[in-house]
Amino acid sequence: MKQLTSQQENTLKVLDAKLRDYFESDRSGHDFDHVLRVVRMSQSLTSDDANLFVVTITAYLHEIFDDKLQLPFNSVEEVAQKFDLDFEGYEEQIEQDIRSIGFKGGFDSKPSRTLEAKYVSDADLLDAMGAIGIARAFYYAGSKGLPFHDSRLDGVIAENYDEYRNLTRNAIAHFDEKLLKLVHVIETDEGRLVAKKRHEILSSYYDAFYSEIKGS
Ligand code: ADP
């Protein structure tokens, strides 16, 4: 049901206030505004068949086990306890949903997702697409000291998960290995509508980028 009780709204307000402190220092594109965009997008995609409370908590917490962030949480139950919050018995589903999300270069096979996890996953992928997705890709590459385009690295793209995380390559290679594929990875009809527009932005940017590189 696409509605929250006032107690659930209060839980989410406290979660928002307490969680944001843990994201203050991120400079890799996983700042708290990314989390907020995923929360808002997940909520707007969610149909009446899904549990909006579970979707929203999952969206807030979707980065907490990411090895890049090193947050001090090992389980969703730990988050509920630390922040003194009532997740109404959904801790286990939320934990499994979070662990089923994440593109990881498309190299990691994921367990099948619940409807709630599909909405959050789509919202997370949509944030890697469109104008913001382009900004995040160049920002991430810059944070890793990777060039946006060095012609000696032309054609170098990641072929496995280790390379996906560690290979020296151009920022624009990320379009080939991930961003331009995302439109086919989106799982919900609601997400596909938004993805179509964002894919067009990615695709026309990519074409313009290479036409400028060629000097045409
Ligand atoms: P995932 O693990 O699901 O592929 P991340 O959480 O690592 O994604 O990605 C965070 C942001 O940084 C996303 O917008 C993603 O597209 C971007 N990103 C990840 N790896 C790279 C890379 N090698 N070059 C450019 N951008 C990247």
Side-chain angles (χ1 to χ4, degrees), residues 22-37:
Y22 290 85
F23 286 79
E24 294 261 280
S25 62
D26 179 79
R27 291 288 178 269
S28 69
H30 295 90
D31 51 298
F32 199 64
D33 266 76
H34 162 66
V35 173
L36 293 179
R37 286 192 302 272

mmCIF file of all heavy atoms in Angstrom, residues 22-37:
data_model
loop_
_atom_site.group_PDB
_atom_site.id
_atom_site.type_symbol
_atom_site.label_atom_id
_atom_site.label_comp_id
_atom_site.label_asym_id
_atom_site.label_seq_id
_atom_site.Cartn_x
_atom_site.Cartn_y
_atom_site.Cartn_z
ATOM 1 N N TYR A 22 26.758 9.880 8.760
ATOM 2 C CA TYR A 22 27.707 8.844 8.320
ATOM 3 C C TYR A 22 28.197 9.050 6.892
ATOM 4 O O TYR A 22 29.115 8.389 6.446
ATOM 5 C CB TYR A 22 27.066 7.454 8.437
ATOM 6 C CG TYR A 22 26.888 7.035 9.875
ATOM 7 C CD1 TYR A 22 25.770 7.435 10.602
ATOM 8 C CD2 TYR A 22 27.854 6.274 10.503
ATOM 9 C CE1 TYR A 22 25.614 7.072 11.930
ATOM 10 C CE2 TYR A 22 27.703 5.901 11.826
ATOM 11 C CZ TYR A 22 26.581 6.312 12.537
ATOM 12 O OH TYR A 22 26.437 5.948 13.845
ATOM 13 N N PHE A 23 27.551 9.970 6.165
ATOM 14 C CA PHE A 23 27.924 10.175 4.758
ATOM 15 C C PHE A 23 28.683 11.472 4.538
ATOM 16 O O PHE A 23 29.042 11.794 3.421
ATOM 17 C CB PHE A 23 26.659 10.179 3.884
ATOM 18 C CG PHE A 23 26.072 8.808 3.685
ATOM 19 C CD1 PHE A 23 25.302 8.224 4.678
ATOM 20 C CD2 PHE A 23 26.292 8.097 2.520
ATOM 21 C CE1 PHE A 23 24.766 6.958 4.516
ATOM 22 C CE2 PHE A 23 25.757 6.835 2.344
ATOM 23 C CZ PHE A 23 24.996 6.264 3.342
ATOM 24 N N GLU A 24 28.910 12.241 5.601
ATOM 25 C CA GLU A 24 29.488 13.579 5.487
ATOM 26 C C GLU A 24 30.750 13.647 4.647
ATOM 27 O O GLU A 24 30.930 14.549 3.859
ATOM 28 C CB GLU A 24 29.800 14.129 6.878
ATOM 29 C CG GLU A 24 28.554 14.356 7.686
ATOM 30 C CD GLU A 24 28.104 15.800 7.669
ATOM 31 O OE1 GLU A 24 28.696 16.569 8.424
ATOM 32 O OE2 GLU A 24 27.167 16.125 6.906
ATOM 33 N N SER A 25 31.664 12.649 4.850
ATOM 34 C CA SER A 25 32.982 12.808 4.243
ATOM 35 C C SER A 25 33.134 12.128 2.882
ATOM 36 O O SER A 25 34.204 12.129 2.319
ATOM 37 C CB SER A 25 34.036 12.253 5.200
ATOM 38 O OG SER A 25 33.769 10.876 5.362
ATOM 39 N N ASP A 26 32.046 11.570 2.323
ATOM 40 C CA ASP A 26 32.237 10.839 1.067
ATOM 41 C C ASP A 26 32.555 11.766 -0.109
ATOM 42 O O ASP A 26 31.930 12.794 -0.302
ATOM 43 C CB ASP A 26 30.988 10.028 0.704
ATOM 44 C CG ASP A 26 31.203 9.298 -0.604
ATOM 45 O OD1 ASP A 26 31.881 8.258 -0.566
ATOM 46 O OD2 ASP A 26 30.759 9.790 -1.661
ATOM 47 N N ARG A 27 33.573 11.379 -0.884
ATOM 48 C CA ARG A 27 33.920 12.144 -2.085
ATOM 49 C C ARG A 27 34.018 11.211 -3.297
ATOM 50 O O ARG A 27 34.837 11.409 -4.169
ATOM 51 C CB ARG A 27 35.271 12.880 -1.885
ATOM 52 C CG ARG A 27 35.210 14.015 -0.880
ATOM 53 C CD ARG A 27 34.436 15.235 -1.435
ATOM 54 N NE ARG A 27 34.325 16.302 -0.462
ATOM 55 C CZ ARG A 27 33.312 16.433 0.396
ATOM 56 N NH1 ARG A 27 32.318 15.576 0.409
ATOM 57 N NH2 ARG A 27 33.279 17.439 1.246
ATOM 58 N N SER A 28 33.190 10.169 -3.336
ATOM 59 C CA SER A 28 33.250 9.241 -4.468
ATOM 60 C C SER A 28 31.902 9.138 -5.178
ATOM 61 O O SER A 28 31.704 8.261 -6.007
ATOM 62 C CB SER A 28 33.682 7.849 -3.979
ATOM 63 O OG SER A 28 32.644 7.280 -3.205
ATOM 64 N N GLY A 29 30.979 10.050 -4.854
ATOM 65 C CA GLY A 29 29.672 9.996 -5.518
ATOM 66 C C GLY A 29 28.636 9.221 -4.718
ATOM 67 O O GLY A 29 27.567 8.916 -5.218
ATOM 68 N N HIS A 30 28.970 8.872 -3.474
ATOM 69 C CA HIS A 30 27.997 8.203 -2.602
ATOM 70 C C HIS A 30 27.615 9.124 -1.448
ATOM 71 O O HIS A 30 27.454 8.689 -0.329
ATOM 72 C CB HIS A 30 28.571 6.911 -2.018
ATOM 73 C CG HIS A 30 28.858 5.882 -3.053
ATOM 74 N ND1 HIS A 30 30.046 5.789 -3.683
ATOM 75 C CD2 HIS A 30 28.082 4.905 -3.575
ATOM 76 C CE1 HIS A 30 30.012 4.795 -4.549
ATOM 77 N NE2 HIS A 30 28.834 4.238 -4.503
ATOM 78 N N ASP A 31 27.504 10.410 -1.753
ATOM 79 C CA ASP A 31 27.143 11.370 -0.714
ATOM 80 C C ASP A 31 25.674 11.184 -0.328
ATOM 81 O O ASP A 31 24.934 10.458 -1.001
ATOM 82 C CB ASP A 31 27.392 12.797 -1.231
ATOM 83 C CG ASP A 31 26.731 13.000 -2.576
ATOM 84 O OD1 ASP A 31 27.102 12.283 -3.545
ATOM 85 O OD2 ASP A 31 25.819 13.813 -2.661
ATOM 86 N N PHE A 32 25.262 11.870 0.742
ATOM 87 C CA PHE A 32 23.900 11.659 1.235
ATOM 88 C C PHE A 32 22.851 12.133 0.222
ATOM 89 O O PHE A 32 21.737 11.628 0.200
ATOM 90 C CB PHE A 32 23.713 12.340 2.595
ATOM 91 C CG PHE A 32 22.541 11.801 3.344
ATOM 92 C CD1 PHE A 32 22.509 10.475 3.768
ATOM 93 C CD2 PHE A 32 21.428 12.601 3.611
ATOM 94 C CE1 PHE A 32 21.414 9.955 4.443
ATOM 95 C CE2 PHE A 32 20.326 12.086 4.300
ATOM 96 C CZ PHE A 32 20.326 10.770 4.714
ATOM 97 N N ASP A 33 23.215 13.073 -0.634
ATOM 98 C CA ASP A 33 22.259 13.502 -1.661
ATOM 99 C C ASP A 33 21.949 12.376 -2.649
ATOM 100 O O ASP A 33 20.830 12.302 -3.177
ATOM 101 C CB ASP A 33 22.758 14.746 -2.399
ATOM 102 C CG ASP A 33 22.195 15.980 -1.736
ATOM 103 O OD1 ASP A 33 22.705 16.347 -0.663
ATOM 104 O OD2 ASP A 33 21.209 16.545 -2.267
ATOM 105 N N HIS A 34 22.944 11.522 -2.898
ATOM 106 C CA HIS A 34 22.665 10.327 -3.725
ATOM 107 C C HIS A 34 21.609 9.476 -3.023
ATOM 108 O O HIS A 34 20.633 9.042 -3.644
ATOM 109 C CB HIS A 34 23.957 9.525 -3.957
ATOM 110 C CG HIS A 34 23.710 8.114 -4.414
ATOM 111 N ND1 HIS A 34 23.146 7.808 -5.637
ATOM 112 C CD2 HIS A 34 23.926 6.914 -3.799
ATOM 113 C CE1 HIS A 34 23.030 6.484 -5.747
ATOM 114 N NE2 HIS A 34 23.498 5.923 -4.649
ATOM 115 N N VAL A 35 21.795 9.271 -1.731
ATOM 116 C CA VAL A 35 20.823 8.480 -0.957
ATOM 117 C C VAL A 35 19.428 9.122 -1.049
ATOM 118 O O VAL A 35 18.437 8.432 -1.326
ATOM 119 C CB VAL A 35 21.271 8.356 0.521
ATOM 120 C CG1 VAL A 35 20.190 7.681 1.363
ATOM 121 C CG2 VAL A 35 22.584 7.592 0.617
ATOM 122 N N LEU A 36 19.371 10.440 -0.875
ATOM 123 C CA LEU A 36 18.063 11.125 -0.919
ATOM 124 C C LEU A 36 17.410 11.025 -2.295
ATOM 125 O O LEU A 36 16.198 10.854 -2.405
ATOM 126 C CB LEU A 36 18.220 12.600 -0.516
ATOM 127 C CG LEU A 36 18.613 12.838 0.935
ATOM 128 C CD1 LEU A 36 18.770 14.338 1.211
ATOM 129 C CD2 LEU A 36 17.581 12.254 1.892
ATOM 130 N N ARG A 37 18.234 11.114 -3.358
ATOM 131 C CA ARG A 37 17.652 10.975 -4.710
ATOM 132 C C ARG A 37 17.093 9.568 -4.899
ATOM 133 O O ARG A 37 16.030 9.386 -5.497
ATOM 134 C CB ARG A 37 18.713 11.265 -5.794
ATOM 135 C CG ARG A 37 19.056 12.736 -5.946
ATOM 136 C CD ARG A 37 19.883 12.987 -7.214
ATOM 137 N NE ARG A 37 21.127 12.234 -7.259
ATOM 138 C CZ ARG A 37 22.292 12.649 -6.747
ATOM 139 N NH1 ARG A 37 22.371 13.824 -6.142
ATOM 140 N NH2 ARG A 37 23.371 11.906 -6.842
#
